[in-house]
mmCIF file of all heavy atoms in Angstrom:
data_model
loop_
_atom_site.group_PDB
_atom_site.id
_atom_site.type_symbol
_atom_site.label_atom_id
_atom_site.label_comp_id
_atom_site.label_asym_id
_atom_site.label_seq_id
_atom_site.Cartn_x
_atom_site.Cartn_y
_atom_site.Cartn_z
ATOM 1 N N PRO A 47 5.522 37.644 10.057
ATOM 2 C CA PRO A 47 6.515 36.687 10.513
ATOM 3 C C PRO A 47 6.510 36.440 12.019
ATOM 4 O O PRO A 47 6.806 35.353 12.489
ATOM 5 C CB PRO A 47 7.859 37.300 10.068
ATOM 6 C CG PRO A 47 7.546 38.740 9.814
ATOM 7 C CD PRO A 47 6.116 38.770 9.340
ATOM 8 N N SER A 64 4.468 18.512 27.250
ATOM 9 C CA SER A 64 3.313 17.626 27.487
ATOM 10 C C SER A 64 3.839 16.197 27.745
ATOM 11 O O SER A 64 4.472 15.609 26.875
ATOM 12 C CB SER A 64 2.361 17.622 26.285
ATOM 13 O OG SER A 64 1.814 18.914 26.122
ATOM 14 N N TYR A 70 -0.638 10.356 17.988
ATOM 15 C CA TYR A 70 -1.323 11.043 16.911
ATOM 16 C C TYR A 70 -1.305 12.544 17.119
ATOM 17 O O TYR A 70 -1.103 13.332 16.191
ATOM 18 C CB TYR A 70 -2.748 10.531 16.785
ATOM 19 C CG TYR A 70 -2.833 9.121 16.276
ATOM 20 C CD1 TYR A 70 -3.382 8.098 17.057
ATOM 21 C CD2 TYR A 70 -2.359 8.776 15.010
ATOM 22 C CE1 TYR A 70 -3.457 6.793 16.591
ATOM 23 C CE2 TYR A 70 -2.426 7.469 14.550
ATOM 24 C CZ TYR A 70 -2.959 6.477 15.340
ATOM 25 O OH TYR A 70 -3.016 5.205 14.876
ATOM 26 N N VAL A 78 2.094 20.576 11.964
ATOM 27 C CA VAL A 78 1.794 22.023 11.961
ATOM 28 C C VAL A 78 3.099 22.834 11.983
ATOM 29 O O VAL A 78 3.203 23.849 11.253
ATOM 30 C CB VAL A 78 0.940 22.397 13.211
ATOM 31 C CG1 VAL A 78 0.827 23.911 13.374
ATOM 32 C CG2 VAL A 78 -0.452 21.784 13.069
ATOM 33 N N THR A 83 6.838 26.283 8.954
ATOM 34 C CA THR A 83 8.172 26.534 8.442
ATOM 35 C C THR A 83 8.135 26.743 6.926
ATOM 36 O O THR A 83 8.809 27.630 6.400
ATOM 37 C CB THR A 83 9.110 25.348 8.761
ATOM 38 O OG1 THR A 83 9.076 25.069 10.187
ATOM 39 C CG2 THR A 83 10.522 25.651 8.354
ATOM 40 N N GLU A 140 19.879 61.912 -15.587
ATOM 41 C CA GLU A 140 19.655 62.703 -14.390
ATOM 42 C C GLU A 140 20.458 62.259 -13.193
ATOM 43 O O GLU A 140 20.810 63.026 -12.318
ATOM 44 C CB GLU A 140 18.156 62.715 -14.017
ATOM 45 C CG GLU A 140 17.221 63.319 -15.037
ATOM 46 C CD GLU A 140 16.869 62.351 -16.139
ATOM 47 O OE1 GLU A 140 17.034 61.119 -15.948
ATOM 48 O OE2 GLU A 140 16.450 62.800 -17.219
ATOM 49 N N THR A 162 32.383 52.925 -36.659
ATOM 50 C CA THR A 162 33.176 52.001 -37.447
ATOM 51 C C THR A 162 33.655 50.807 -36.647
ATOM 52 O O THR A 162 34.238 49.871 -37.200
ATOM 53 C CB THR A 162 34.395 52.749 -38.034
ATOM 54 O OG1 THR A 162 35.119 53.326 -36.945
ATOM 55 C CG2 THR A 162 33.953 53.838 -38.975
ATOM 56 N N PRO A 184 8.430 40.484 -20.954
ATOM 57 C CA PRO A 184 6.993 40.354 -21.201
ATOM 58 C C PRO A 184 6.357 39.242 -20.352
ATOM 59 O O PRO A 184 6.958 38.177 -20.197
ATOM 60 C CB PRO A 184 6.923 40.019 -22.696
ATOM 61 C CG PRO A 184 8.282 39.473 -23.034
ATOM 62 C CD PRO A 184 9.229 40.176 -22.138
ATOM 63 N N LYS A 216 31.266 47.996 -23.538
ATOM 64 C CA LYS A 216 32.636 48.365 -23.213
ATOM 65 C C LYS A 216 33.119 47.521 -22.023
ATOM 66 O O LYS A 216 32.500 47.502 -20.977
ATOM 67 C CB LYS A 216 32.714 49.853 -22.852
ATOM 68 C CG LYS A 216 34.152 50.322 -22.548
ATOM 69 C CD LYS A 216 34.152 51.797 -22.216
ATOM 70 C CE LYS A 216 35.605 52.259 -21.872
ATOM 71 N NZ LYS A 216 35.650 53.689 -21.517
ATOM 72 N N GLY A 219 37.048 45.528 -17.139
ATOM 73 C CA GLY A 219 37.821 44.707 -16.244
ATOM 74 C C GLY A 219 37.654 43.224 -16.531
ATOM 75 O O GLY A 219 36.729 42.818 -17.215
ATOM 76 N N VAL A 299 39.294 5.504 -12.574
ATOM 77 C CA VAL A 299 40.557 6.118 -12.157
ATOM 78 C C VAL A 299 40.975 5.612 -10.763
ATOM 79 O O VAL A 299 42.145 5.244 -10.536
ATOM 80 C CB VAL A 299 40.450 7.644 -12.189
ATOM 81 C CG1 VAL A 299 41.721 8.306 -11.611
ATOM 82 C CG2 VAL A 299 40.185 8.153 -13.575
ATOM 83 N N ILE A 367 16.676 25.507 0.147
ATOM 84 C CA ILE A 367 17.517 26.546 -0.431
ATOM 85 C C ILE A 367 16.685 27.588 -1.127
ATOM 86 O O ILE A 367 16.883 28.793 -0.978
ATOM 87 C CB ILE A 367 18.551 25.888 -1.407
ATOM 88 C CG1 ILE A 367 19.493 24.965 -0.654
ATOM 89 C CG2 ILE A 367 19.337 26.995 -2.160
ATOM 90 C CD1 ILE A 367 20.349 24.121 -1.562
ATOM 91 N N ASP A 499 6.862 13.672 -36.940
ATOM 92 C CA ASP A 499 6.179 14.025 -38.204
ATOM 93 C C ASP A 499 5.058 13.063 -38.522
ATOM 94 O O ASP A 499 4.213 13.367 -39.368
ATOM 95 C CB ASP A 499 7.198 14.011 -39.337
ATOM 96 C CG ASP A 499 7.294 15.389 -39.980
ATOM 97 O OD1 ASP A 499 6.797 16.349 -39.415
ATOM 98 O OD2 ASP A 499 7.943 15.490 -41.072
ATOM 99 N N TYR A 508 -5.463 21.495 -24.935
ATOM 100 C CA TYR A 508 -5.195 22.768 -24.288
ATOM 101 C C TYR A 508 -6.140 22.962 -23.100
ATOM 102 O O TYR A 508 -7.262 22.500 -23.089
ATOM 103 C CB TYR A 508 -5.366 23.934 -25.262
ATOM 104 C CG TYR A 508 -4.329 23.975 -26.360
ATOM 105 C CD1 TYR A 508 -4.426 23.168 -27.474
ATOM 106 C CD2 TYR A 508 -3.237 24.846 -26.239
ATOM 107 C CE1 TYR A 508 -3.496 23.198 -28.481
ATOM 108 C CE2 TYR A 508 -2.262 24.875 -27.251
ATOM 109 C CZ TYR A 508 -2.400 24.059 -28.349
ATOM 110 O OH TYR A 508 -1.451 24.095 -29.347
ATOM 111 N N ILE A 615 -16.599 38.265 -36.747
ATOM 112 C CA ILE A 615 -16.902 39.606 -37.281
ATOM 113 C C ILE A 615 -15.618 40.356 -37.512
ATOM 114 O O ILE A 615 -14.782 40.497 -36.567
ATOM 115 C CB ILE A 615 -17.811 40.403 -36.292
ATOM 116 C CG1 ILE A 615 -19.115 39.630 -36.009
ATOM 117 C CG2 ILE A 615 -18.104 41.778 -36.870
ATOM 118 C CD1 ILE A 615 -19.961 40.294 -34.962
ATOM 119 N N ARG A 621 -8.389 43.090 -46.631
ATOM 120 C CA ARG A 621 -7.066 42.906 -47.228
ATOM 121 C C ARG A 621 -5.973 42.865 -46.149
ATOM 122 O O ARG A 621 -4.932 42.254 -46.403
ATOM 123 C CB ARG A 621 -6.777 44.011 -48.222
ATOM 124 C CG ARG A 621 -7.597 43.889 -49.528
ATOM 125 C CD ARG A 621 -7.425 45.096 -50.396
ATOM 126 N NE ARG A 621 -8.013 46.285 -49.804
ATOM 127 C CZ ARG A 621 -8.071 47.468 -50.419
ATOM 128 N NH1 ARG A 621 -7.607 47.605 -51.630
ATOM 129 N NH2 ARG A 621 -8.617 48.510 -49.815
ATOM 130 N N ALA A 657 -14.504 25.513 -48.724
ATOM 131 C CA ALA A 657 -14.713 24.064 -48.380
ATOM 132 C C ALA A 657 -15.284 23.859 -46.986
ATOM 133 O O ALA A 657 -15.630 22.739 -46.652
ATOM 134 C CB ALA A 657 -13.373 23.323 -48.503
ATOM 135 N N GLY A 673 -29.716 35.431 -31.848
ATOM 136 C CA GLY A 673 -29.338 34.092 -31.363
ATOM 137 C C GLY A 673 -28.224 34.157 -30.335
ATOM 138 O O GLY A 673 -27.978 35.192 -29.712
ATOM 139 N N GLY A 675 -28.081 33.086 -27.384
ATOM 140 C CA GLY A 675 -28.469 33.230 -25.968
ATOM 141 C C GLY A 675 -28.370 34.625 -25.436
ATOM 142 O O GLY A 675 -28.385 34.852 -24.219
ATOM 143 N N ALA A 703 -15.948 49.850 -31.385
ATOM 144 C CA ALA A 703 -15.936 50.941 -32.376
ATOM 145 C C ALA A 703 -15.198 50.537 -33.654
ATOM 146 O O ALA A 703 -15.217 51.294 -34.632
ATOM 147 C CB ALA A 703 -15.271 52.175 -31.793
ATOM 148 N N GLY A 704 -14.571 49.361 -33.675
ATOM 149 C CA GLY A 704 -13.919 48.868 -34.898
ATOM 150 C C GLY A 704 -12.824 49.756 -35.385
ATOM 151 O O GLY A 704 -11.926 50.176 -34.617
ATOM 152 N N SER A 717 -27.062 58.676 -37.536
ATOM 153 C CA SER A 717 -27.958 57.586 -37.894
ATOM 154 C C SER A 717 -28.568 56.911 -36.664
ATOM 155 O O SER A 717 -29.737 56.488 -36.719
ATOM 156 C CB SER A 717 -27.217 56.541 -38.728
ATOM 157 O OG SER A 717 -26.725 57.109 -39.901
ATOM 158 N N VAL A 746 -22.023 58.045 -26.666
ATOM 159 C CA VAL A 746 -21.912 56.688 -26.105
ATOM 160 C C VAL A 746 -22.032 56.738 -24.575
ATOM 161 O O VAL A 746 -22.668 55.884 -23.972
ATOM 162 C CB VAL A 746 -20.551 56.050 -26.493
ATOM 163 C CG1 VAL A 746 -20.424 54.653 -25.852
ATOM 164 C CG2 VAL A 746 -20.442 55.929 -27.995
#
Side-chain angles (χ1 to χ4, degrees):
S64 297
Y70 290 117
V78 169
T83 306
E140 297 82 20
T162 57
K216 182 180 179 181
V299 175
I367 296 170
D499 242 11
Y508 291 81
I615 302 174
R621 288 173 293 185
S717 300
V746 178

